[in-house]
Amino acid sequence: MNFRYSKALIITIMSLTLAGSACLFSPDPDPGDPSGDDYHSPVDTPAKLMDNFLLSYQTKNINAYMECLHEEFEFVLLETDWEDYTGNGEIDESWGRDIEEDMTGSMFSSPQAEIVDLSLNGTTETVWYGDVTGATIQLVKSFDLKVYWYDGGEQDGFHALGDAVFLVKPNEDGDYQIWRWTDLSET
């Protein structure tokens, strides 16, 4: 199961579980300050960006997570995951910042996601061929995402493994952000 599809499935199941139990929740209005000591600032290298990205998952900090995404962010889905995510009647092959924020924010704020653990491995870092300026860097990473909780003392949840390509580039302030995220995992 791939990373994005897993995330969508996790959020859907958590929503159904909460609705079925009539358990209502609202996100924390102040999910934390992404400028804390553990976050890099400035984010002048792709490595610092990926550190901030991982830390945003560990702390379930949606503000810090969104700081990692470029204003032109696009998540490119595997063909098996294409569906109408925007609700406009057209099949989406990718989605942007708005859907990414909704999905990740729901996961981070859900009481069902007691533990959200993401690890990234891989050191492949090359200048992306599609940018003649050389500013866009391609990072190839393997991921391991675990989202779980304890139900009656028993651990339950989801686990997804796979590969992804991150294209990262500096924003107008010079901080690196994820511009395009392509899912290469096998379902």
Side-chain angles (χ1 to χ4, degrees), residues 31-155:
D33 179 8
S35 63
D37 292 336
D38 293 335
Y39 289 94
H40 296 287
S41 182
V43 186
D44 53 1
T45 67
K48 288 179 181 178
L49 166 62
M50 298 316 287
D51 286 348
N52 286 357
F53 180 78
L54 286 171
L55 187 56
S56 71
Y57 263 83
Q58 292 167 358
T59 60
K60 298 194 288 186
N61 184 326
I62 192 62
N63 293 335
Y65 182 78
M66 294 308 294
E67 285 292 319
C68 294
L69 305 183
H70 197 275
E71 65 183 21
E72 299 167 354
F73 174 80
E74 178 183 24
F75 182 83
V76 181
L77 297 154
L78 289 170
E79 186 173 357
T80 58
D81 298 327
W82 292 356
E83 64 179 78
D84 182 10
Y85 292 97
T86 59
N88 64 1
E90 296 179 18
I91 298 299
D92 297 307
E93 298 176 17
S94 65
W95 63 56
R97 278 184 110 237
D98 55 343
I99 291 176
E100 186 65 22
E101 181 175 19
D102 289 345
M103 293 183 93
T104 303
S106 293
M107 179 175 61
F108 285 179
S109 65
S110 172
Q112 290 295 101
E114 291 178 39
I115 308 293
V116 177
D117 182 30
L118 173 64
S119 63
L120 297 173
N121 295 300
T123 58
T124 303
E125 182 177 314
T126 57
V127 174
W128 182 56
Y129 67 90
D131 181 354
V132 296
T133 69
T136 304
I137 306 297
Q138 177 175 286
L139 307 170
V140 179
K141 301 284 185 183
S142 295
F143 67 84
D144 186 351
L145 173 65
K146 298 172 190 149
V147 178
Y148 52 96
W149 55 90
Y150 293 93
D151 185 14
E154 297 292 318
Q155 183 176 325

Side-chain angles (χ1 to χ4, degrees), residues 6 30 60 81 84 113 145 154 157 166 169 182 184:
S6 300
D30 183 16
K60 298 194 288 186
D81 298 327
D84 182 10
L145 173 65
E154 297 292 318
F166 297 93
K169 66 181 183 178
T182 302
L184 298 179

